[in-house]
């Protein structure tokens, strides 16, 4: 029996894969519903309209995700749409979808545009990412794109992503992002996909598959501790009750996972704690009665605006799937000490709306049908320069105890594709079908590219 702690997409995909390999599985989820960050939120004031709590992209290049949806009978429900992208710079929005729009982007000179294009091409030629993890991202980008491009494009985007401080961020971050996103383009257009019911459709299909194969899923269950003796897992304590188990995989973020370890696993807790930094997020979701922009993503390089971008997902998703409304997400990644992380919801709403109206002065109060504020403490794993060796391994020194979370997917970005691919590799490792000496980076790379 393998106990999987956490019923998000990683935990459910892991359980699905373990069951396929003949292992018995139990999934424990503390929340009353499954899905974690990829779950849904409902608007009773709008007649029960529901949508993703946070925005999540499915790219046409996501091969593992596509294969999983095929396996679960969801592939025919997947819709593919050509989307647009823009940049908000110096108080104005600029389209940046086509090559011609790229060439007309005002902040850059012709030489800057050429060097930016060269940066993208250079990224796609790099196969060995390990040298990049020793290079500060700004230094590396300056060598490729030039100082002006870094000042006008890269620095503002990185500053927003890392809550002001990207001095210790390695070049792998931009490399991984550019490799992933440039795979989505076809004839100059960016192709993205969606399920009409959002990622919840995939969550529900995974849960149904787990149950159909004999797996057990329990929601509303708090795992208090992993029980350990004589260097091996004995079981779990769940809601104060002891449950026998010989193997468990914790899919929670590393700081949360460490809290589940008893004193007998102090060495494991110390090893896991060597790299456990995360950024959180605050995200305001606006349900509008009209479209705000023509873009799925409006990147923001104007440093006067605090949020990372304006994400209008109904420029991808048909508004008919969300009651005819238009969905706009305003995310801001936050360090633990950020004032935005501590700001009360009412104040955050007023503040974010004030900045949004600076960008869109014609947005009227009556056009806002509903607002939700989402907050998560652990979202974006932080990997400082040269810290790959500090990433916690999947296996631990306690027999039967495993850790599998987004902090181990490096150098890839955290997204549905990388998470599902990683879960598949972890399942093979837990079931004894992968080399025991494989590093986390090797495991991620061999299952995702």
């Amino acid at each position: 029996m393998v106990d999987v702690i956490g019923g998000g997409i990683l935990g459910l995909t892991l359980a699905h894969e373990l069951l396929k390999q003949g292992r018995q599985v139990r999934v424990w989820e503390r929340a009353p519903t499954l899905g974690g960050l990829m779950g849904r939120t409902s608007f009773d004031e709008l007649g029960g309209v529901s949508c993703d709590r946070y925005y999540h992209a499915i790219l046409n290049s996501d091969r593992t995700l596509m294969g999983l949806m095929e396996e679960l009978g969801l592939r025919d429900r997947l819709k593919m749409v050509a989307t647009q992208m823009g940049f908000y710079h110096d108080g104005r929005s600029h389209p940046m979808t086509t090559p011609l729009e790229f060439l007309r982007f005002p902040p850059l000179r012709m030489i800057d545009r050429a060097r930016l294009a060269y940066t993208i091409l250079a990224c796609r030629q790099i196969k060995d990412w390990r040298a990049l993890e020793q290079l500060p991202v700004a230094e590396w980008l300056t060598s490729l794109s030039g100082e002006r491009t870094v000042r006008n494009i890269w620095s503002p985007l990185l500053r927003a992503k890392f809550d002001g401080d990207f001095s210790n961020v390695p070049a792998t971050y931009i490399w991984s992002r550019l490799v992933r996103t440039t795979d989505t383009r076809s004839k100059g257009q960016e192709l993205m996909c969606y399920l009409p019911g959002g990622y919840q459709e995939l969550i529900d299909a995974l849960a149904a598959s787990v149950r159909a194969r004999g797996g057990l899923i329990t929601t509303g269950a708090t795992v208090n501790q992993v029980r350990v003796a004589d260097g091996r897992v004995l079981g779990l304590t769940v809601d104060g009750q002891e449950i026998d188990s010989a193997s468990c995989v914790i899919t929670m973020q590393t700081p949360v996972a460490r809290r589940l370890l008893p004193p007998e696993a102090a060495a494991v807790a110390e090893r896991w704690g060597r790299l456990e930094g995360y950024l959180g997020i605050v995200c305001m979701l606006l349900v509008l009665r009209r479209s705000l922009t023509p873009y799925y993503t409006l990147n923001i390089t104007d440093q006067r605006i605090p949020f990372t971008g304006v994400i209008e997902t109904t420029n991808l998703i048909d508004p008919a799937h969300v009651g005819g409304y238009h969905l706009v997400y305003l995310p801001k990644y936050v360090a633990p000490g950020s004032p935005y992380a501590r700001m009360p919801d009412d104040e955050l709403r007023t503040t974010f709306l004030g900045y949004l109206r600076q960008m869109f002065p014609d947005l009227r109060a009556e056009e806002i049908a509903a607002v939700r504020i989402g907050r998560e403490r652990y979202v974006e794993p932080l990997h400082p320069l040269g810290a790959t060796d500090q990433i916690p391994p999947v296996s631990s020194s306690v027999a039967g105890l495993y850790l599998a979370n987004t902090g181990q997917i490096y150098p890839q970005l955290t997204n549905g594709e990388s998470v599902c691919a990683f879960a598949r590799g972890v399942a093979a490792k837990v079931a004894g079908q992968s080399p025991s000496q494989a590093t986390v980076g090797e495991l991620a790379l061999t299952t995702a590219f």
Side-chain angles (χ1 to χ4, degrees):
M1 175 68 71
V2 179
D3 284 286
V4 176
I5 304 175
I9 189 170
L10 197 162
L12 291 173
T13 304
L14 174 60
H16 169 76
E17 296 293 338
L18 285 168
L19 286 159
K20 285 166 53 180
Q21 296 174 24
R23 303 297 296 270
Q24 293 181 304
V25 177
R26 293 181 297 212
V27 178
W28 305 95
E29 170 55 47
R30 181 173 184 173
T33 58
L34 298 170
L37 294 176
M38 291 184 172
R40 304 279 280 182
T41 187
S42 296
F43 296 86
D44 293 339
E45 66 269 41
L46 302 180
V49 168
S50 69
C51 65
D52 289 335
R53 290 171 57 209
Y54 302 101
Y55 62 96
H56 306 286
I58 301 175
L59 306 185
N60 65 317
S61 58
D62 289 347
R63 293 180 289 273
T64 303
L65 203 52
M66 297 291 183
L68 180 60
M69 286 190 281
E70 181 79 42
E71 187 179 331
L72 296 171
L74 294 176
R75 186 64 182 269
D76 290 344
R77 290 186 54 76
L78 200 66
K79 313 296 181 185
M80 187 177 297
V81 177
T83 59
Q84 299 183 62
M85 179 180 70
F87 272 74
Y88 185 83
H89 181 84
D90 198 22
R92 292 185 58 194
S93 295
H94 304 275
M96 279 278 278
T97 303
T98 68
L100 182 60
E101 290 168 346
F102 171 75
L103 291 173
R104 291 174 174 171
F105 190 48
L108 302 181
R109 301 167 300 182
M110 184 60 70
I111 186 62
D112 302 322
R113 297 163 190 157
R115 294 191 69 173
L116 183 56
Y118 169 73
T119 301
I120 295 170
L121 292 174
C123 280
R124 295 192 59 81
Q125 298 303 312
I126 295 172
K127 304 303 180 184
D128 184 3
W129 53 269
R130 293 185 183 277
L132 296 181
E133 71 164 342
Q134 306 293 335
L135 298 174
V137 64
E139 176 184 319
W140 180 69
L141 285 170
T142 300
S143 70
L144 293 173
S145 298
E147 187 276 333
R148 184 181 175 88
T149 305
V150 170
R151 184 176 70 251
N152 285 290
I153 300 294
W154 294 121
S155 285
L157 294 178
L158 287 164
R159 191 175 295 110
K161 177 68 176 183
F162 292 97
D163 200 15
D165 183 10
F166 56 91
S167 59
N168 206 25
V169 174
T172 46
Y173 173 76
I174 291 295
W175 169 79
S176 185
R177 174 175 290 275
L178 288 178
V179 168
R180 171 172 162 80
T181 56
T182 54
D183 272 345
T184 69
R185 304 193 72 81
S186 175
K187 297 180 180 179
Q189 293 182 310
E190 186 171 38
L191 299 178
M192 303 179 73
C193 309
Y194 73 94
L195 292 166
Y199 257 101
Q200 190 66 48
E201 287 197 47
L202 179 58
I203 297 297
D204 292 344
L206 282 168
S209 173
V210 168
R211 292 181 172 118
R213 293 175 182 270
L216 301 176
I217 299 176
T218 305
T219 57
T222 299
V223 176
N224 308 113
Q225 196 172 73
V226 179
R227 294 164 47 227
V228 172
D230 299 323
R232 63 185 181 89
V233 170
L234 293 183
L236 307 176
T237 302
V238 182
D239 292 324
Q241 179 182 355
E242 292 188 351
I243 296 172
D244 292 337
S245 177
S247 183
C248 78
V249 186
I250 305 175
T251 68
M252 317 302 294
Q253 299 92 338
T254 307
V256 180
R258 292 180 67 209
R259 298 172 199 158
L260 302 182
L261 300 181
E264 294 83 352
V268 176
E270 187 278 330
R271 175 64 183 90
W272 289 1
R274 294 179 194 173
L275 191 65
E276 60 172 4
Y278 283 80
L279 290 175
I281 195 171
V282 292
C283 183
M284 187 165 81
L285 164 58
L286 294 167
V287 183
L288 302 180
R289 294 187 170 89
R290 69 166 176 92
S291 178
L292 191 64
T293 79
Y295 311 112
Y296 175 83
T297 301
L298 180 62
N299 296 293
I300 297 175
T301 58
D302 190 322
Q303 297 182 38
R304 296 170 295 182
I305 308 298
F307 28 86
T308 312
V310 176
I311 318 297
E312 187 164 345
T313 58
T314 37
N315 287 324
L316 166 66
I317 303 165
D318 188 335
H321 298 308
V322 288
Y325 293 100
H326 300 265
L327 306 177
V328 172
Y329 296 79
L330 306 177
K332 177 168 179 54
Y333 290 89
V334 290
S338 168
Y340 288 100
R342 302 188 302 268
M343 193 176 288
D345 284 359
D346 287 347
E347 184 179 353
L348 187 73
R349 170 177 173 156
T350 300
T351 301
F352 272 28
L353 281 176
Y355 284 113
L356 188 65
R357 286 194 171 102
Q358 287 184 32
M359 300 174 64
F360 304 96
D362 59 340
L363 178 64
R364 304 191 305 273
E366 59 269 24
E367 294 173 326
I368 302 173
V371 176
R372 288 287 187 277
I373 303 293
R375 298 175 183 271
E376 304 292 340
R377 170 60 188 90
Y378 303 107
V379 175
E380 182 70 24
L382 295 175
H383 293 91
L385 288 162
T388 298
D389 292 342
Q390 301 302 314
I391 297 173
V394 172
S395 300
S396 77
S397 58
V398 172
L401 176 61
Y402 302 90
L403 178 70
N405 63 34
T406 56
Q408 299 163 302
I409 295 176
Y410 181 85
Q412 299 164 71
L413 303 174
T414 301
N415 50 64
E417 168 69 9
S418 64
V419 167
C420 290
F422 182 64
R424 179 172 293 175
V426 172
K429 191 175 185 68
V430 172
Q433 297 184 14
S434 65
S436 60
Q437 298 303 313
T439 66
V440 173
E442 288 166 349
L443 176 59
L445 286 171
T446 55
T447 56
F449 280 105

